[in-house]
């Protein structure tokens, strides 16, 4: 059994399935959003997908290494505590985990040469932490699934 997120998520034989599952996770999280803020997220998400079809899978793949590195300390602590449900663990450290993941996307957005992408990201970012925290249980479940197969 793999001990690190790098081994679990980035192995070349598993990476395509991980990226596909993460793309599905993003779609599900966006789809589940409600209310006015949900409408804004859905509109922004649709705009990004329209600007460049396939961008979500491509973005997930390009960010995966940095996301794995950002979550590695959490995963090591989780394993050190005996494992269990990584989604519940992440939820228990939601603020910290969300900040770690958003640090990755903030840095990437800042380096982007596409103004349209930057504008959409800037519109979505104020609610980003809340949205990432809400996604942590699903993310943990996805990681648990791939860890079991590693």
């Amino acid at each position: 059994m793999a001990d690190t997120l790098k081994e679990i998520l980035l192995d070349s034989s598993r990476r395509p399935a991980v990226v596909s599952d993460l793309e599905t996770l993003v779609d599900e999280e966006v789809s589940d959003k409600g209310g006015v803020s949900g409408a804004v997220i859905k509109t922004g998400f649709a705009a990004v997908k329209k600007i460049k079809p396939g961008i979500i899978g491509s973005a997930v793949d390009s960010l995966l290494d940095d996301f794995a590195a950002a979550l590695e300390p959490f995963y090591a602590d989780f394993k050190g505590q005996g494992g269990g449900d990584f989604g519940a663990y992440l939820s228990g450290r939601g603020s910290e985990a969300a900040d770690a993941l958003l640090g990755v996307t903030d840095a990437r957005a800042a380096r982007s040469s596409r103004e349209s992408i930057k504008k959409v990201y800037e519109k979505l970012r104020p609610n980003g932490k809340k949205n990432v925290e809400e996604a942590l249980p699903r993310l943990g479940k996805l990681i648990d699934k791939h860890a079991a197969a590693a």
Side-chain angles (χ1 to χ4, degrees):
M1 180 153 176
D3 290 324
T4 68
L5 289 181
K6 181 177 179 179
E7 293 169 323
I8 295 165
L9 303 176
L10 306 181
D11 181 89
S12 61
S13 67
R14 283 187 296 279
R15 188 179 184 117
V18 171
V19 170
S20 178
D21 285 352
L22 286 168
E23 187 173 5
T24 298
L25 182 148
V26 172
D27 286 338
E28 289 171 349
E29 285 294 321
V30 170
S31 178
D32 286 353
K33 299 298 177 200
V36 175
S37 64
V40 170
I41 290 168
K42 289 175 182 179
T43 301
F45 189 67
V48 167
K49 288 173 87 171
K50 185 176 181 179
I51 290 166
K52 186 174 180 188
I55 192 169
I56 303 305
S58 177
V60 166
D61 191 39
S62 71
L63 292 166
L64 185 55
D65 293 68
D66 292 336
F67 282 152
L71 288 177
E72 194 68 60
F74 297 95
Y75 195 70
D77 186 56
F78 164 74
K79 294 282 284 188
Q81 292 182 21
D85 178 348
F86 192 46
Y89 173 88
L90 287 175
S91 292
R93 296 188 58 194
S95 181
E96 292 172 82
D99 285 342
L101 293 170
L102 287 168
V104 172
T105 57
D106 288 349
R108 183 65 60 97
R111 291 191 312 263
S112 177
S113 61
R114 296 185 163 188
E115 289 304 314
S116 57
I117 299 295
K118 284 183 177 185
K119 285 181 183 178
V120 170
Y121 185 81
E122 288 169 10
K123 282 185 179 181
L124 297 175
R125 181 56 176 93
N127 291 318
K129 187 167 183 174
K130 175 181 156 285
N131 292 319
V132 172
E133 286 178 1
E134 290 172 356
L136 291 173
R138 260 189 190 138
L139 177 60
K141 184 177 180 181
L142 184 152
I143 291 170
D144 285 340
K145 171 188 158 186
H146 287 281

